[in-house]
Amino acid sequence: MTTMLTRPSRPVRFIKKLEDTSVIVGQPLKLVCTYTGSQRVHVTWKKDDKLIWASYQYNVLTTDSTCSLEVLYSDRPAAAGKYSCEISNEAGRDVCHAHVTLGKGTSNNLLTAFHSSAHLPDNYLNFLRWCMITLISLLTENNSNSLFNTGNMKQSLLQT
């Protein structure tokens, strides 16, 4: 008679947990954590204690030791909140949380893209600069609680 020996399952646990973060408007938001434990791991994501999954708002990726959540519209106020990742297997479960806030600041991506267009003709660059300054001025006048730090962006554009 042959007896099969099975290894006991190791409970899952986080090695690197989610961390609180502040994201600047226009910057990507990706939450990543790593874990260990026996396979057949089930991963659940929540935002403000409500289940979320891969959709037009979120990309979810899970490997044998990593799970990540990319918030696709991180420039919207709705992106802020408490995110939770729960992992479980037959031997146990673990959960971690991160609070995400929308910070104020200048989006370096926007300014870099604007400044890297140096190969365009000068009159076109001046027109783009005028458009950006006008847009920033309108945002500043119409929304004093703007998520943008429009003063820094406008100042940077005026100096170029």
Side-chain angles (χ1 to χ4, degrees):
M1 176 186 251
T2 307
T3 306
M4 284 287 248
L5 295 175
T6 58
R7 292 189 338 203
S9 292
R10 291 176 302 141
V12 290
R13 67 177 176 80
F14 284 106
I15 297 170
K16 180 181 175 276
K17 295 185 175 195
L18 297 174
E19 297 177 2
D20 292 350
T21 188
S22 180
V23 63
I24 295 173
V25 172
Q27 297 295 314
L29 171 58
K30 189 171 187 178
L31 303 171
V32 180
C33 45
T34 57
Y35 60 89
T36 187
S38 296
Q39 287 307 303
R40 292 278 193 178
V41 176
H42 180 72
V43 178
T44 304
W45 286 95
K46 294 181 181 180
K47 180 183 177 287
D48 298 327
D49 298 319
K50 294 178 183 156
L51 285 173
I52 57 175
W53 50 86
S55 68
Y56 70 95
Q57 292 179 310
Y58 305 103
N59 277 337
V60 176
L61 177 66
T62 303
T63 68
D64 288 344
S65 61
T66 303
C67 41
S68 66
L69 176 73
E70 181 182 11
V71 180
L72 300 177
Y73 297 102
S74 59
D75 59 343
R76 296 182 180 170
K82 175 185 162 190
Y83 289 84
S84 304
C85 182
E86 181 180 320
I87 53 174
S88 61
N89 66 7
E90 64 182 21
R93 69 183 276 280
D94 199 2
V95 65
C96 62
H97 311 280
H99 288 88
V100 173
T101 57
L102 293 182
K104 295 182 178 185
T106 303
S107 171
N108 289 333
N109 285 350
L110 178 63
L111 292 177
T112 301
F114 184 77
H115 289 296
S116 68
S117 59
H119 63 280
L120 298 172
D122 284 342
N123 57 348
Y124 189 69
L125 285 175
N126 288 334
F127 174 73
L128 285 177
R129 186 176 290 117
W130 176 83
C131 289
M132 292 293 296
I133 292 169
T134 302
L135 176 62
I136 291 166
S137 296
L138 288 172
L139 286 171
T140 304
E141 291 170 10
N142 293 329
N143 188 1
S144 60
N145 293 324
S146 173
L147 294 173
F148 293 100
N149 184 342
T150 54
N152 286 349
M153 290 175 69
K154 188 173 180 181
Q155 198 62 22
S156 175
L157 290 170
L158 289 172
Q159 291 174 359
T160 58

